[in-house]
Amino acid sequence: MKILGMGVPELLIILVVILLIFGPKNLPKLGSALGKTVKNLRDGMGAGEKEVEEAADDDEVVEVVEEVVEEPTPAPKKTVKKVVKKKAE
């Protein structure tokens, strides 16, 4: 079994090095980030072709404009300091 021209021993060595560098706690984060990146790349490469095909099939192209509504910012928080005065002895 070869993946990217590498056999099983080479892939196992790479996996061990990655485990040593990142540690077991960070591997799910790393895998999630890698998965999102691959998904975005696939969507980006495939989406352009679909839009071109759809535009070629339709006689009329309708543009959709999204209106961004800004939420009002909350009033700044006021900080109250408590001053304690000592009684004169």
Side-chain angles (χ1 to χ4, degrees):
M1 176 174 89
K2 288 193 172 194
I3 297 175
L4 298 173
M6 295 182 285
V8 174
E10 291 90 357
L11 292 173
L12 287 176
I13 291 171
I14 292 171
L15 180 63
V16 169
V17 170
I18 290 173
L19 279 170
L20 288 174
I21 292 173
F22 292 104
K25 290 184 180 178
N26 291 328
L27 281 182
K29 296 176 191 174
L30 181 65
S32 174
L34 183 62
K36 288 179 184 177
T37 302
V38 171
K39 181 182 175 191
N40 288 337
L41 285 174
R42 287 181 180 168
D43 290 344
M45 290 189 319
E49 296 171 1
K50 290 180 184 177
E51 290 176 4
V52 170
E53 290 173 5
E54 289 176 3
D57 292 341
D58 297 337
D59 294 333
E60 202 174 299
V61 177
V62 178
E63 292 184 20
V64 177
V65 179
E66 293 183 19
E67 186 175 323
V68 178
V69 178
E70 293 183 16
E71 295 181 15
T73 57
K77 295 182 180 180
K78 295 181 181 178
T79 305
V80 178
K81 294 183 180 180
K82 185 177 181 181
V83 179
V84 178
K85 295 183 181 179
K86 294 184 179 181
K87 294 182 181 179
E89 295 180 15

